[in-house]
């Protein structure tokens, strides 16, 4: 067992080596010269400036929380674990974003010089750096801590703080990046497309560089940290459940307690290897249809993982029921992704596009209706996963199903990060004037990227929901260990019912805060873009250069100011409810927040994704094409949907996981 445990961080280091190889492959491609290189450098520098300023604020928060852990709980190992978790997540997001801002221009040049196959390959390898780094840093951090601190049930609590550190970083990266990207996107679209009547990514638009910067800080670093916290949170919660299993449950599952605690890490390690095989599959099929190649990589890695997981579980002599939990989680993740793809890239998109012929109002009505409908199958899928997992392996099975869904995060995140790289490539092609042929190639890659991004969001929501449920189960087990009488989350208990209502309200409040943050920041951006069009002579005629740096600065300052309140809400609410109203009310609050978060996240993300792709469908020439009244209606729908799908919706994943892990960490104090 000792040998197997040590291999986990070693596999993580090897995975990081794989990420470096992918980065080197990307960097060997031409980065262009002249205007194209200048534009790419502006995007890269803007992203770096934002990230550095965000990290300063983030680590001020981290130092305060780490100090509280050290002195209030008197456990310096737990504080160290918290900082390691925050550090691993910060590094993963930073490396992924850095790589993406180098891959974008190389994708553009590849499309211009070599064609679609090389462009797809470049964008995908750029995204693969993010995917491999997320999985590898999780194994290095968690695996290392498990080796040194967390192998015994008495010390498993040290790992809880690692997940808390990862969640804190995800909150800042996702919310801050989301506010930045949507403030820039909304401002650039409303003034550029609607008022000035110029194309998307037109170099005359002062907000375009900020928009492209936002794709990287929000959709690469933000999404990476989002998945990282669910990935680690699922493993930590499953280890915590294994550490508190009763003798009858241990007997039914087979294997020792140490084996069951180690199994999530073993499955995640196998998942990383399967992700690498999935990346190879994408490369092999990249010369065919891009969407098909990406789908083959995702599904192929999941199938390989399920087969490998069977042999791992059998080798450790654990019950076969645990393997069925893995299968339920892996298939459930793929199913949620496919359902999300249907609602954001299938027939519903064409329904919204058709409704644009009768104006903005019908675009909004049809988009909202489709978003509401889109939550049904994913929620039933999650319920089905829980049913199968609990039936096969009790609460431990629920945790293992979450691990099974997230084990191949390397390929999942690679495909998701591919989207922003392809989007940036199109923007760079437009701004540098590379011509219709190049833009046609980048547009086709971007269209696939929009779908993969929507699938990634659906997958992230499902994974976050299962991970949070596992954390809640771990919280209840931990509280019960500390109390003489076990708590029950019964609705007959008024304290639990009060908690459910409080929890149900918090996601709505969070959504309001983040939507208002985007609205306020977008207002400043719109005024600045209008000012530049008005005051810079010859800008609209293409005879003068816009002040893009000013727009980047506006988006940066707005994001850094507005992300503090959601962070305080997520971290502070569990502490206030837990210490004032008690552990039962806190448990009820987590249940209420979990359901509301999943519902809102799916509704917001899918509505926004459907509006976005309906706009692109019209831009392809349907229902009047670009510049038509139908197009203007779809642009408004897309503008409303932008903060829903890229700020408020994704923030729900972070919110429920942060609330759950904070509750688990403070459970011994309640």
């Amino acid at each position: 067992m000792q040998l197997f445990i040590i291999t986990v961080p070693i596999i993580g280091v090897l995975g990081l080596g794989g990420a470096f190889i992918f980065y080197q492959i990307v960097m060997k491609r031409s980065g262009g010269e002249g205007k194209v290189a200048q534009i790419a450098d502006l995007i890269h520098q803007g992203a770096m400036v934002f990230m550095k300023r965000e990290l300063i604020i983030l680590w001020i928060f981290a130092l305060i929380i780490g100090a509280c852990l050290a002195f209030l709980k008197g456990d310096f190992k737990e504080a160290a674990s918290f900082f390691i978790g925050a550090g691993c997540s910060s590094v993963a997001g930073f490396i992924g974003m850095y790589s993406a801002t180098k891959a974008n221009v190389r994708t553009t040049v590849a499309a211009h010089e070599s064609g679609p196959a090389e462009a797809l390959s470049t964008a995908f390898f750029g995204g693969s750096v993010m995917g491999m780094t997320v999985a590898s840093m999780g194994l290095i951090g968690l695996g290392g801590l498990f080796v040194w601190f967390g192998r015994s049930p008495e010390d498993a609590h040290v790992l809880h703080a690692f997940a808390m550190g990862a969640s804190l970083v995800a909150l800042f990266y996702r919310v801050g990046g989301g506010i930045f990207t949507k403030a820039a996107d909304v401002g650039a679209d409303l003034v550029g497309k609607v008022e000035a009547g110029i194309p998307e990514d037109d170099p005359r638009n002062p907000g375009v560089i900020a928009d492209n910067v936002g794709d990287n800080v929000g959709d690469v670093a933000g999404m990476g940290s989002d998945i990282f916290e669910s990935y680690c949170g699922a493993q930590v919660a499953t280890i915590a459940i294994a550490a508190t299993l009763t003798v009858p449950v241990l007997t039914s599952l087979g294997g020792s307690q140490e084996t069951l605690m180690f199994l999530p890490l073993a499955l995640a390690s196998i998942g990383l290897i399967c992700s690498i095989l999935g990346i190879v599959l994408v490369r092999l099929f990249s010369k065919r249809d891009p969407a098909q190649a990406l789908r083959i990589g995702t599904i192929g890695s999941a199938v390989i993982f399920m087969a490998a997981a069977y042999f791992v579980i059998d080798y450790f002599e654990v019950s076969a029921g645990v393997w069925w939990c893995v299968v339920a989680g892996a298939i459930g993740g793929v199913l949620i992704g496919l359902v999300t793809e249907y609602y954001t890239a299938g027939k519903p998109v064409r329904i919204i596009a058709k409704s644009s012929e009768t104006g903005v109002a019908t675009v909004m009505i049809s988009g909202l209706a489709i978003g509401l409908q889109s939550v049904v199958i994913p929620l039933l899928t999650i319920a089905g996963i829980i049913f199968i997992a609990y039936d096969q392996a009790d609460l431990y099975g629920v945790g293992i199903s979450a691990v099974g869904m997230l084990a191949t995060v390397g390929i999942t995140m690679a495909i998701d990060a591919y989207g922003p790289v392809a989007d940036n490539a199109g923007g760079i092609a437009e701004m540098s004037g590379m011509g219709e042929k190049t833009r046609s190639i980048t547009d086709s890659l971007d269209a696939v990227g929009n779908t993969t991004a929507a699938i990634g969001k659906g997958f992230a929501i499902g994974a976050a929901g299962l991970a949070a449920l596992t954390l809640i189960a771990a919280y209840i087990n931990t509280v019960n260990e500390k109390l003489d009488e076990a708590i029950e989350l019964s609705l007959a208990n008024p304290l639990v019912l009060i908690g459910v209502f409080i929890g149900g309200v918090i996601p709505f409040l969070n959504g309001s805060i983040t939507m208002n943050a985007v609205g306020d920041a977008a207002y400043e951006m719109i005024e600045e873009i209008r000012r530049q069009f008005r005051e810079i002579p010859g800008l609209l005629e293409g005879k003068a250069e816009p002040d893009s740096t000013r727009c980047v600065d506006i988006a940066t300052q707005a994001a850094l100011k507005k992300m503090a309140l959601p962070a305080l809400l997520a971290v502070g609410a569990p502490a206030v409810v837990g210490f004032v109203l008690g552990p039962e009310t806190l448990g009820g609050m987590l249940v209420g927040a979990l359901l509301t978060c999943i519902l809102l996240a799916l509704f917001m993300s899918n509505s926004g994704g459907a509006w976005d792709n309906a706009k692109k469908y019209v831009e392809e020439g349907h229902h009047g094409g670009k510049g038509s009244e139908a197009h203007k209606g779809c642009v408004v729908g897309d503008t409303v949907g932008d903060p829903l799908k890229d700020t408020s919706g994704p923030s729900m994943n972070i919110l429920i996981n942060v609330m759950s892990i904070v509750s688990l960490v403070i459970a011994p104090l309640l």
Side-chain angles (χ1 to χ4, degrees):
M1 180 60 71
Q2 175 67 23
L3 179 62
F4 285 120
I5 291 171
I6 293 173
T7 59
V8 172
I10 292 173
I11 290 174
V13 171
L14 292 175
L16 212 53
F20 181 73
I21 291 171
F22 294 146
Y23 176 74
Q24 290 294 92
I25 291 172
V26 170
M27 293 303 293
K28 284 180 181 177
R29 309 280 166 86
S30 171
E33 56 187 21
K35 190 172 184 180
V36 67
Q38 180 186 5
I39 291 167
D41 191 56
L42 284 172
I43 295 171
H44 176 74
Q45 292 302 325
M48 296 299 290
V49 167
F50 174 77
M51 287 291 287
K52 287 175 183 175
R53 291 172 67 177
E54 184 178 45
L55 282 168
I56 291 171
I57 296 175
L58 189 162
W59 278 93
I60 291 172
F61 269 78
L63 287 170
I64 293 170
I65 294 173
C68 290
L69 281 174
F71 294 106
L72 292 180
K73 296 191 73 175
D75 191 336
F76 288 91
K77 288 192 294 186
E78 211 164 323
S81 177
F82 169 80
F83 288 123
I84 292 170
C88 287
S89 185
S90 298
V91 169
F94 189 86
I95 290 175
M97 187 214 65
Y98 189 95
S99 172
T101 55
K102 294 295 183 181
N104 53 12
V105 65
R106 286 164 174 80
T107 302
T108 307
V109 175
H112 186 67
E113 296 179 353
S114 306
E118 281 303 307
L120 169 66
S121 177
T122 305
F124 181 66
F125 277 130
S128 297
V129 176
M130 176 85 254
M132 295 301 294
T133 305
V134 164
S136 299
M137 293 305 298
L139 292 179
I140 291 169
L142 264 182
L145 284 171
F146 192 82
V147 170
W148 292 106
F149 297 132
R151 292 177 57 188
S152 69
E154 294 75 21
D155 294 329
H157 66 92
V158 174
L159 301 179
H160 303 171
F162 179 94
M164 185 174 172
S167 294
L168 179 71
V169 173
L171 189 64
F172 277 82
Y173 273 18
R174 196 51 153 151
V175 176
I179 293 169
F180 183 108
T181 185
K182 290 305 110 180
D185 196 4
V186 170
D189 277 359
L190 282 181
V191 183
K193 287 184 179 180
V194 178
E195 294 182 10
I198 59 178
E200 187 172 2
D201 296 319
D202 193 293
R204 294 170 289 177
N205 192 329
V208 163
I209 293 293
D211 184 12
N212 281 273
V213 170
D215 288 337
N216 293 288
V217 299
D219 293 340
V220 179
M223 186 62 166
S225 62
D226 182 351
I227 294 289
F228 182 87
E229 68 136 4
S230 293
Y231 178 68
C232 296
Q235 293 177 63
V236 167
T238 308
I239 293 169
I241 291 172
T244 57
L245 289 176
T246 60
V247 174
V249 177
L250 274 172
T251 304
S252 67
L253 294 177
S256 66
Q257 192 164 45
E258 185 182 23
T259 299
L260 294 173
M261 289 174 65
F262 171 67
L263 187 58
L265 292 168
L267 292 173
S269 301
I270 296 298
L272 176 57
I273 296 169
C274 295
S275 293
I276 295 173
L277 296 175
I279 290 170
V280 172
L281 285 173
V282 174
R283 175 59 178 158
L284 291 175
F285 289 92
S286 62
K287 293 184 180 179
R288 303 183 183 182
D289 177 40
Q292 184 185 29
L294 296 174
R295 194 175 289 111
I296 288 171
T298 305
I299 297 175
S301 61
V303 171
I304 296 168
F305 168 70
M306 285 187 282
Y310 175 82
F311 291 105
V312 170
I313 291 168
D314 182 64
Y315 179 82
F316 285 118
E317 298 181 347
V318 175
S319 167
V322 173
W323 180 71
W324 285 110
C325 299
V326 172
V327 171
I331 293 177
V334 172
L335 182 59
I336 291 171
L338 293 175
V339 170
T340 306
E341 179 182 13
Y342 170 75
Y343 279 103
T344 56
K347 184 180 177 182
V349 168
R350 296 189 290 276
I351 292 172
I352 296 174
K354 175 69 176 174
S355 71
S356 66
E357 294 180 352
T358 51
V360 176
T362 45
V363 169
M364 304 310 298
I365 291 168
S366 59
L368 290 171
I370 284 165
L372 290 168
Q373 185 187 113
S374 71
V375 308
V376 177
I377 297 177
L379 259 292
L380 293 176
T381 300
I382 293 172
I385 293 170
I386 294 168
F387 178 82
I388 293 169
Y390 192 86
D391 179 68
Q392 293 294 319
D394 206 79
L395 284 175
Y396 182 78
V398 178
I400 284 292
S401 67
V403 173
M405 184 182 286
L406 285 155
T408 54
V409 72
I411 181 71
T412 307
M413 191 61 232
I415 290 173
D416 189 83
Y418 152 88
V421 173
D423 191 5
N424 264 205
I428 293 170
E430 179 73 31
M431 287 183 277
S432 58
M434 282 192 163
E436 282 298 318
K437 183 179 178 183
T438 302
R439 188 64 211 244
S440 175
I441 293 172
T442 58
D443 280 352
S444 67
L445 296 178
D446 184 26
V448 175
N450 278 331
T451 302
T452 62
I455 293 170
K457 288 184 179 71
F459 174 84
I461 293 165
L466 273 183
L469 180 63
T470 309
L471 288 167
I472 294 169
Y475 160 78
I476 295 169
N477 283 0
T478 303
V479 170
N480 287 344
E481 270 200 321
K482 301 295 178 182
L483 297 176
D484 293 332
E485 185 177 347
I487 66 168
E488 289 186 9
L489 299 185
S490 168
L491 294 180
N493 184 338
L495 287 175
V496 174
L497 198 56
I498 289 167
V500 170
F501 279 100
I502 293 173
V505 165
I506 290 174
F508 282 90
L509 180 58
N510 178 79
S512 172
I513 292 169
T514 51
M515 289 288 285
N516 277 329
V518 172
D520 293 344
Y523 177 84
E524 291 183 54
M525 185 69 69
I526 289 167
E527 290 299 307
E528 175 59 23
I529 296 171
R530 284 173 175 168
R531 182 195 69 78
Q532 292 195 33
F533 279 142
R534 188 172 60 246
E535 297 180 7
I536 298 178
L539 179 57
L540 265 175
E541 292 77 27
K543 298 176 181 177
E545 292 292 324
D547 183 4
S548 301
T549 305
R550 175 63 187 148
C551 290
V552 171
D553 190 57
I554 287 173
T556 299
Q557 298 219 21
L560 296 178
K561 277 191 231 171
K562 302 287 186 179
M563 67 186 182
L565 191 53
L568 289 173
L569 178 66
V571 175
V576 171
V577 171
F579 288 117
V580 174
L581 297 175
E584 292 174 319
T585 308
L586 177 54
M589 184 188 81
L590 294 176
V591 172
L594 172 62
L595 181 58
T596 311
C597 277
I598 296 175
L599 291 170
L600 279 177
L602 287 166
F603 162 65
M604 290 176 165
S605 294
N606 292 342
S607 288
W611 275 318
D612 187 3
N613 281 335
K615 176 201 69 175
K616 285 181 167 54
Y617 183 75
V618 171
E619 287 175 345
E620 290 172 1
H622 304 94
H623 307 293
K626 289 183 180 180
S628 64
E629 290 302 312
H631 182 232
K632 290 178 182 177
C634 285
V635 169
V636 174
D638 177 42
T639 305
V640 173
D642 272 339
L644 287 175
K645 72 181 175 66
D646 289 326
T647 307
S648 294
S651 74
M652 299 298 167
N653 307 348
I654 316 294
L655 177 66
I656 185 55
N657 273 327
V658 171
M659 290 173 64
S660 301
I661 194 62
V662 168
S663 301
L664 179 58
V665 170
I666 66 172
L669 302 176
L670 297 179

